[in-house]
Each structure stands twice: as C-alpha cells, then as structure tokens.
Amino acid sequence: MPVLNETHELSLTSWVESANSGQSDFPIQNLPFAVFRRAASDEAFRGGVAIGDQIIDMAALAAAGLFNADAQQGAQACAGDELNAFMGMGKNIWSALRLALSRALRTGAAEEAQLKAMLVAQADVEYKLPCRIGDYTDFYTSVYHATAVGSLFRPDNPLLPNYKWVPIGYHGRSSSIDVSGQSFLRPQGQTKAPDAAEPSFGPCKRLDYELEMGIYVGPANELGAPIEIGAAEDHIFGLCIFNDWSARDIQAWEYQPLGPFLAKNFASTVSPWIVTNEALAPYRIEWSRDENDPQPLPYLNSEQNSAAGGYDVDMEVLLQTEQMRNAGQPAERLSVSSFKYSYWTAAQMLTHHTVNGCNMRSGDFFGSGTQSGPVHEEAGSLLELTVGGKQTITLSNGETRKFLEDGDAVVMRGWCQRDGAARIGFGDCVGTVLPAKV
Ligand code: CA
C-alpha cells in the first residue's frame, strides 16, 4: 500500500524559499528526479532533484558524501547521466534518499550551507531523458478515449470486446522519445482518403497530440517470472507527463490488422521530471469497476489495487501557435482531464505486461494511453475535440484549428492536490511541430 510518512507532511517547508509558495510544482513534499546540465555548456549531464525553482545537483551531493548508508548509495547512483541503476535499486534505497533529502532541505536543516552550494537554477539548465528507455509500450487505458476514437474509426463497432478484459497495448519505439523542448519534423507517409481509390504520399495533414501519463519501471523481473499484482507497486519507480504525438491520417490507413506503426513513432515527448511513486502516495485513490462491467480476472485483481490502485492526477493540454508566440501570448488551454479516469491501474498494466513471462528492465517506459474523461471537454486529443476534424476550435486570437499546424507548440501539465496534502506538479511537457522536410 502507498504509505504516508514524514516526507509528505503538509507543514514541511524548505530553506529554498521558492518551494514554499504553494504554487510551485516542486515543494519539499515532491522531490522529483531529472537529468540535467547548465544549458549550452559542455558539462556532464547528471541527476538532479527539483526543489522550488532550483535543482540539487546529485553529482555534487554524492561527491560531498553528506548522507549515510542507503541514502548515500542512492545519491551515488544518481550522479551519472542515466538513472537506470537508481531506478533498479528499489524502494528501500529510494525511500532512504528521499528521507535524507527531505530532512536536509527543510527549514532550519544543518546541511543548508553545504546544499546551497549544490543548487542550480532550473531557468539555467537543459534536460535530457532521465534514463535509457530500453523498451516502450503504449497502453490504451481510457475507455472514454477508446470509445470516442473507436466510433470515429469503426462507427458500427467502437469498443472491441476484449477492451474490458485486457489492458490493451502495443509495443512502441523508444528511439524517438525525447524530453520536453523537443521539436520534430511533421511526418510524411502514406494516407488514403475514404473516397480515394489509392493511397498517396506526402506530409501528414491530421497531426495530433495525445495527453498521457508516462510510467517508469523500477526493479527488473527475470524472463519467465511475472510480476504479480501484489508486488507491482514495488516495480513502479514513478510517473511523468507524456505526449504521444499521432499522425491520424497515417494511422487510419495503416492500423489494421497489426495496430499503430509509423503514425506513432516519429516523436514522443516526456516531461523532464519523474515524480516518484512514493511522492504520489497522498494522491492515490480507490479503483473500482462499474458493476455492469466485467470484473478483472484474478491475476489483475487485489485488495490493494482496489483500495488505492488509482492516481488522482489532474492533467491539462495547452496550445501556443507560432502567431501567439510571436505576439508574446501564452499558451491557451484546450482541455483538462485526469488520470483518475483510467480503466486500468499502473499496477495492472505492469502485471499484465509480464504475465506471459515478458521481462521488464529498469527504465522501461509505459504510456498510459490518451487520458480522456467522460465529457467531451475532457478529451485528450484533437481527434476527439474536433470529432475527427468535423468541428473547428477557435482560439482567442481568432486562429482556428482542426489538427496541428507547423509552428504549433503543445504544452502538457499535470498536478496533484488533495486536502491535507501539498500541491505537487510534474513540470511542463512541451513539444513543437516543424514543417515537413519535403
Ligand atoms: Ca497513445
């Protein structure tokens, strides 16, 4: 079960003043991990932990040898440019480091002077992927998204019969996943209009985003040794915000019979920060199934998963067109949703993925699938918001969109808030569309 401890206490404050505003994504109760260096420098990338608008340099912290035993071991595993080894160490090391960081960053901590010298301002850094993502799997866990998209692609048969039994997913491609700030060329490919006799080749005309949570795997399992539902939480290192960019016209033509392929693997963007499963403990929620729906098979069912398998993460997607950017206008919100709507939990995704013996490696990555909510305004993609391009979105400057145009930047955010707990956030996940290279 997610356990609350002193690191979650609402009353905690930090000597890093910007962490105490109540508005920061990174109060002392969060302490998420990224890999960074000073922007435009030739410094080595290394692990960092966010606090307010600053980052604790984990390479400097490890070198100083301030912590003891498990916490020091954890800090040392965060000193390099990939967090895979740390992610593989498991919850005892993770918790020890979190507790030591929490205590050292608190108001009045004896370590203040030493840690102050290890701070780097977030405004001055660039990020890279926090770990080596060996394998990436994208799930499809919003029944609202699955139904809405299914009704566009297959009006007579929107939700396939396996949906409510199997956490549906496909193997994606990790090579094109990059960190927030990513810009990518509009993909080209084969498309076929419904009334055309033959397909044609050219730049995607129906480019879309997908608002998803990302899930990073912690300790590995051996090939042939499934992760049981009761152990799954121990294998989840943390969550991020994830944009699974999608080329709808390519997708519609290619997706049958084997599923997504080139419509998905030209770019995917993660937020730089991984919010740990431990930091998310206060925002866990019960998970249940409508009594009219099939209940999960026993291997996907546990008391713990029902009691607290869900995550209450608010999510939003915003758009800043090139024209807005040139005029100095901020990104404009398109929709708000929540991970709480997920039809399957992260633990169920992990357990299902390994039930056949498939082995996970530390740093492997899951997309949750587009997290659309029950009402139209909570749609997590333009495909749904514009009903397959039949409706037009009008922005406040008068520009209109059905799908993404060149120069568009999509911003995704996530945050958690609950009575009696601090508000924590995930940081921005931003990506920009560049013109196709024709
Ligand atoms: Ca997706």
Side-chain angles (χ1 to χ4, degrees):
M1 291 292 284
V3 177
L4 296 184
N5 56 44
E6 66 174 73
T7 66
H8 302 102
E9 276 175 26
L10 177 59
S11 60
L12 293 182
T13 57
S14 173
W15 49 261
V16 179
E17 280 298 328
S18 58
N20 305 329
S21 66
Q23 302 301 313
S24 171
D25 275 354
F26 311 119
I28 193 167
Q29 293 85 356
N30 193 348
L31 304 176
F33 290 82
V35 168
F36 78 100
R37 69 178 177 188
R38 283 183 180 80
S41 75
D42 54 7
E43 290 179 357
F45 279 100
R46 65 271 193 193
V49 171
I51 178 76
D53 59 9
Q54 303 290 311
I55 301 171
I56 287 278
D57 180 338
M58 295 304 289
L61 183 71
L66 273 186
F67 295 161
N68 296 314
D70 286 355
Q72 180 64 19
Q73 195 186 335
Q76 279 163 353
C78 296
D81 64 354
E82 293 175 341
L83 299 178
N84 298 74
F86 178 60
M87 296 160 87
M89 286 175 164
K91 62 180 181 176
N92 291 341
I93 300 281
W94 304 338
S95 282
L97 179 57
R98 175 178 166 86
L99 180 61
L101 281 167
S102 173
R103 288 179 175 168
L105 287 165
R106 281 176 208 174
T107 306
E111 297 89 341
E112 175 175 344
Q114 284 165 292
L115 261 68
K116 212 169 234 170
M118 302 171 190
L119 293 179
V120 182
Q122 286 163 30
D124 296 339
V125 311
E126 59 189 9
Y127 300 97
K128 74 176 216 31
L129 284 180
C131 64
R132 185 178 65 260
I133 298 176
D135 278 302
Y136 152 50
T137 300
D138 198 24
F139 284 89
Y140 199 49
T141 68
S142 163
V143 69
Y144 307 108
H145 173 74
T147 305
V149 170
S151 65
L152 293 169
F153 281 66
R154 294 178 307 274
D156 344 336
N157 192 14
L159 198 65
L160 296 172
N162 57 4
Y163 187 87
K164 293 186 173 180
W165 295 95
V166 178
I168 299 290
Y170 69 94
H171 285 130
R173 194 165 171 83
S174 55
S175 63
S176 50
I177 301 178
D178 205 348
V179 75
S180 181
Q182 179 179 29
S183 49
F184 62 91
L185 304 176
R186 175 179 297 271
Q188 302 191 73
Q190 260 195 53
T191 60
K192 185 178 133 352
D195 53 355
E198 290 183 353
S200 57
F201 179 85
C204 164
K205 296 191 182 78
R206 290 159 73 94
L207 185 61
D208 201 355
Y209 57 79
E210 291 193 332
L211 175 63
E212 304 197 16
M213 296 301 303
I215 298 155
Y216 286 97
V217 175
N221 64 304
E222 302 225 343
L223 184 63
I227 297 171
E228 290 178 9
I229 188 78
E233 293 281 342
D234 294 345
H235 290 263
I236 296 170
F237 176 66
L239 272 54
C240 72
I241 298 294
F242 180 55
N243 185 348
D244 178 30
W245 305 94
S246 298
R248 300 301 182 193
D249 42 0
I250 297 172
Q251 183 179 358
W253 174 228
E254 76 172 5
Y255 88 105
Q256 288 180 317
L258 285 186
F261 184 33
L262 303 184
K264 299 283 188 173
N265 65 6
F266 54 91
S268 318
T269 311
V270 294
S271 56
W273 297 101
I274 308 175
V275 175
T276 63
N277 218 22
E278 186 172 357
L280 290 164
Y283 320 98
R284 302 302 298 270
I285 49 175
E286 64 177 29
W287 176 91
S288 63
R289 266 293 154 72
D290 190 290
E291 60 184 11
N292 298 313
D293 277 3
Q295 299 304 303
L297 291 178
Y299 80 97
L300 292 173
N301 202 7
S302 76
E303 255 178 62
Q304 173 185 326
N305 189 63
S306 299
Y311 294 82
D312 191 1
V313 181
D314 291 312
M315 310 166 76
E316 66 174 347
V317 55
L318 307 92
L319 176 67
Q320 188 188 46
T321 68
E322 191 165 26
Q323 192 177 315
M324 290 162 72
R325 198 156 52 248
N326 291 340
Q329 290 172 335
E332 197 166 309
R333 182 187 269 182
L334 297 179
S335 69
V336 185
S337 189
S338 173
F339 192 31
K340 73 183 175 194
Y341 297 131
S342 185
Y343 197 78
W344 300 100
T345 66
Q348 288 170 323
M349 291 180 228
L350 181 59
T351 292
H352 181 68
H353 204 319
T354 63
V355 73
N356 64 346
C358 177
N359 53 326
M360 297 291 125
R361 291 172 293 195
S362 302
D364 282 0
F365 185 79
F366 301 163
S368 65
T370 309
Q371 293 301 303
S372 299
V375 302
H376 177 74
E377 290 69 26
E378 292 173 313
S381 67
L382 286 174
L383 183 71
E384 292 157 271
L385 279 179
T386 68
V387 194
K390 291 191 190 70
Q391 295 177 7
T392 300
I393 294 169
T394 304
L395 302 167
S396 60
N397 68 354
E399 285 186 277
T400 61
R401 287 292 180 275
K402 288 179 173 171
F403 291 96
L404 296 171
E405 302 284 337
D406 294 344
D408 283 356
V410 174
V411 182
M412 294 181 177
R413 297 191 182 122
W415 65 94
C416 304
Q417 49 193 358
R418 198 171 211 188
D419 284 347
R423 178 203 176 279
I424 66 170
F426 287 76
D428 288 5
C429 175
V430 187
T432 305
V433 181
L434 302 176
K437 206 173 204 170
V438 287

